[in-house]
């Protein structure tokens, strides 16, 4: 008795990946082996299952999708994207408040892809991700939406200024008030720099941090109960970077430029 097509496609990671690798046209066995980082002994049984269910066909060492396979994969890709995103750590993502993501971008979480969930060491939990910061120094621009400020913010910002990186910040009203009450004069100095563009959002931000440069996307949500933990989401997919900039533009529409802190 044959398996259901759902089981054939989703019960095996290798079978799913083979279908996706063939979506753009026929590929030879060597390409599949290299792309999947596997060997013939492991892959051939999975190819046989796909062949037996009329999803792929092959001539000698070249494999391609059948008409049925093409139709199913075309419908499968929009489903697999969100699954790939949430399946990275559903226990973590399922307990986070994700309502801060606007509906049109929530529908596009597939663009973030198979991200990483990072848990920094306790000693590093108040530091900006080092890889993100190093990548920011090599970027043309950085986009940040945040409800808190890192203790070493001034040091980090000065480094980016030295590297001629254009910075765009959107901060929460609560953070704005905190900066004012603490007479954060250094921020006024930054605002005088043409590389820095700062805005205050019109409402409270229901998440901690979103950062996007030319190489990385970082998102730090809040738990369902409004608390925070040390974990955050990181992706370096090209599509994720576009997603991050569109996220920034969404919040920018309801933000006001900051000239200085009086």
């Amino acid at each position: 008795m044959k398996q259901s097509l759902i089981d054939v496609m989703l019960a095996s990671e290798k079978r799913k990946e083979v279908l996706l690798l063939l979506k753009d046209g026929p590929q030879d066995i060597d390409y599949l082996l290299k792309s999947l980082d596997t060997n013939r002994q492991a892959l051939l049984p999975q190819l046989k299952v796909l062949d037996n269910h009329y999803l792929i066909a092959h001539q000698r060492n070249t494999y391609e999708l059948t008409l049925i396979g093409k139709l199913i994969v075309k419908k499968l890709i929009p489903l697999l994207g969100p699954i790939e995103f949430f399946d990275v750590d559903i226990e973590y993502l399922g307990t986070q408040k994700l309502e801060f993501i606007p509906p049109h971008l929530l529908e596009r979480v597939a663009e973030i892809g198979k991200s990483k969930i990072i848990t920094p060491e306790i000693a590093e939990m108040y530091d900006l991700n080092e890889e993100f910061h190093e990548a920011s120094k090599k970027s043309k621009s950085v986009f940040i939406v945040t409800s808190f400020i890192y203790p070493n913010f001034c040091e980090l910002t000065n480094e980016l200024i030295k590297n001629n990186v254009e910075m765009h910040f959107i901060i929460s009203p609560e953070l704005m008030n905190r900066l004012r009450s603490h007479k954060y004069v250094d921020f006024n100095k930054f605002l005088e720099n043409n590389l820095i563009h700062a805005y205050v959002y019109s409402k409270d931000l229901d998440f901690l941090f979103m950062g996007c440069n030319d190489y990385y996307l970082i998102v730090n949500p809040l738990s369902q109960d409004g608390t925070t933990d040390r974990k955050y989401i990181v992706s370096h997919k090209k599509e994720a970077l576009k997603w991050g900039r569109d996220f920034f533009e969404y919040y920018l529409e309801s933000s006001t430029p900051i000239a200085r802190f009086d």
Side-chain angles (χ1 to χ4, degrees), residues 116-132:
K116 292 182 180 179
I117 307 298
I118 304 294
T119 305
E121 299 294 333
I122 293 177
E124 300 173 346
M125 65 183 296
Y126 296 112
D127 295 332
L128 181 63
N129 177 273
E130 185 175 351
E131 289 184 357
F132 180 82

Side-chain angles (χ1 to χ4, degrees), residues 11-225:
S12 164
E13 187 70 17
K14 279 192 174 63
R15 292 199 292 264
K16 181 188 76 174
E17 292 296 332
V18 166
L19 293 173
L20 295 177
L21 288 171
L22 296 179
K23 68 181 176 62
D24 294 324
Q27 301 291 349
D28 62 39
I29 186 70
D30 291 332
Y31 171 82
L32 297 177
L33 291 171
K34 183 178 180 180
S35 299
L36 297 171
D37 191 22
T38 188
N39 55 53
R40 287 175 179 266
Q41 185 177 0
L43 183 59
L44 288 176
Q46 307 305 331
L47 293 174
K48 185 174 178 60
V49 171
L50 294 172
D51 194 355
N52 287 343
H53 286 79
Y54 308 101
L55 295 176
I56 66 171
H58 70 97
Q59 290 186 348
R60 299 193 178 187
N61 285 325
T62 299
Y63 293 80
E64 62 180 327
L65 294 174
T66 62
L67 181 63
I68 296 172
K70 290 177 182 177
L71 176 63
I72 289 177
V73 169
K74 183 178 179 181
K75 298 296 183 181
L76 182 65
I77 290 173
L79 171 65
L80 287 179
I83 289 176
E84 184 179 51
F85 172 74
F86 288 108
D87 203 35
V88 169
D89 189 342
I90 188 60
E91 187 173 350
Y92 168 69
L93 292 171
T95 58
Q96 303 303 296
K97 295 177 71 173
L98 301 179
E99 289 79 6
F100 69 90
I101 304 176
H104 72 285
L105 289 178
L106 192 59
E107 291 181 0
R108 288 171 48 195
V109 292
E111 296 173 21
I112 299 177
K114 196 169 186 177
S115 56
K116 292 182 180 179
I117 307 298
I118 304 294
T119 305
E121 299 294 333
I122 293 177
E124 300 173 346
M125 65 183 296
Y126 296 112
D127 295 332
L128 181 63
N129 177 273
E130 185 175 351
E131 289 184 357
F132 180 82
H133 180 58
E134 289 301 316
S136 293
K137 290 194 291 186
K138 297 184 293 183
S139 297
K140 292 182 179 178
S141 56
V142 175
F143 298 85
I144 289 173
V145 187
T146 185
S147 58
F148 80 104
I149 193 166
Y150 285 101
N152 59 344
F153 167 80
C154 292
E155 176 186 344
L156 298 175
T157 303
N158 278 322
E159 288 183 9
L160 297 187
I161 289 174
K162 288 179 183 177
N163 286 54
N164 204 37
V165 179
E166 191 165 0
M167 288 164 275
H168 305 260
F169 298 96
I170 296 175
I171 63 175
S172 66
E174 184 179 3
L175 179 55
M176 175 79 165
N177 292 332
R178 181 173 177 80
L179 291 172
R180 276 177 172 162
S181 65
H182 284 69
K183 302 186 187 306
Y184 214 86
V185 293
D186 287 332
F187 212 100
N188 279 332
K189 294 178 182 177
F190 290 140
L191 291 173
E192 294 170 1
N193 193 298
N194 291 332
L195 289 171
I196 294 182
H197 312 274
Y199 309 84
V200 59
Y201 189 58
S202 59
K203 307 172 187 175
D204 289 335
L205 294 177
D206 209 15
F207 62 99
L208 281 179
F209 182 87
M210 188 290 302
C212 179
N213 57 35
D214 294 353
Y215 305 92
Y216 283 94
L217 167 73
I218 289 184
V219 181
N220 194 174
L222 292 169
S223 299
Q224 290 285 357
D225 59 5

